Amino acid sequence: MRIDILSLFPEMFGGVFGASITKRAIEKNILDIAITNPRDFAFNKHNQVDDTPYGGGAGMVMKPEPIFRAIKSVKEKTQIENSRVVIMCPTGKTFNQQKAIELAKYDQLIFICGHYEGYDNRIVQNLADEIISIGDYVLTGGELACMVVVDAVSRMLPGVLGSGESAPTDSFYNGILEYPQYTKPREYHGLKVPEVLLSGDHAKIAKWRRQEALRTTFNNRPDLLKTADLSKEDKIFLASLNDEK
């Protein structure tokens, strides 16, 4: 996958993309990330990318010309058909795991990271295929939000994770939260690993993990259960939890 990011602060991405899973994905040539600075496409000698809003108001607004020109340059250079332009903005739909899976199916993602008071709306209406927010809060710019999305999408690409089972067992992947995990030692300060995990009975372990995942979701994010794919056995277990509560 090719990922292009339009950002006024390219230096912000070095630490995140130069480490961990994202770095390995780049080294394996599974992921190719390029940063483009819209200032390089500004018209005047000051490389101006923002201006005062028409109609008055506080703050500055990102100008359309540098963004339009930057997007055109990226598309002409890469010439990838299966591509999607994403604007990071608090006004967008909230990002989730299903969106990460969906975005991972594209050959190219182009992210536009905003700053100041927002974008000239002609950018939004004419360049963006979709607008994404990572939560109901406002950040200084779209860079941090973009990093979150890129990290989540990268995990969905074949060959990125060390284990093929890692992604499907992540929280949210199948609509519920992940089950509790344990590792060595078997006992620490009197705290023991659940016996079922030491039993070697894979069917019992799978059942325990499913029920504990449901319990965690029930306690922490019950809203997810409204749309989760639940079996008859799942519903019976959740009913017992509700009775206990």
Side-chain angles (χ1 to χ4, degrees), residues 61-62 64 68 87 118-127 131:
V61 176
M62 291 190 70
F68 270 76
I87 282 185
Y119 310 90
D120 182 293
N121 201 50
R122 287 166 289 191
I123 297 171
V124 178
Q125 290 183 326
N126 296 279
L127 294 181
I131 308 169

Side-chain angles (χ1 to χ4, degrees), residues 68-82:
F68 270 76
R69 295 176 70 192
I71 290 290
K72 181 181 179 182
S73 174
V74 167
K75 288 187 173 183
E76 288 179 347
K77 180 170 58 178
T78 57
Q79 296 187 6
I80 299 174
E81 292 186 7
N82 186 26

Side-chain angles (χ1 to χ4, degrees), residues 139-153:
L139 299 171
T140 302
E143 284 78 11
L144 291 174
C146 177
M147 293 175 199
V148 169
V149 175
V150 170
D151 185 272
V153 171

Side-chain angles (χ1 to χ4, degrees), residues 180-192:
Q181 298 274 18
Y182 293 87
T183 187
K184 299 175 181 66
R186 293 176 60 165
E187 183 175 344
Y188 181 69
H189 286 185
L191 306 172
K192 299 180 179 180

Side-chain angles (χ1 to χ4, degrees), residues 30-88:
I30 299 172
L31 195 60
D32 182 16
I33 300 179
I35 316 294
T36 298
N37 194 331
R39 292 191 188 278
D40 296 335
F41 296 87
F43 281 105
N44 61 27
K45 63 180 181 180
H46 301 294
N47 296 325
Q48 185 179 359
V49 293
D50 63 320
D51 212 327
T52 55
Y54 280 120
M60 305 289 278
V61 176
M62 291 190 70
K63 293 166 61 63
E65 309 101 301
I67 304 298
F68 270 76
R69 295 176 70 192
I71 290 290
K72 181 181 179 182
S73 174
V74 167
K75 288 187 173 183
E76 288 179 347
K77 180 170 58 178
T78 57
Q79 296 187 6
I80 299 174
E81 292 186 7
N82 186 26
S83 177
R84 194 156 185 83
V85 177
V86 178
I87 282 185
M88 304 307 305

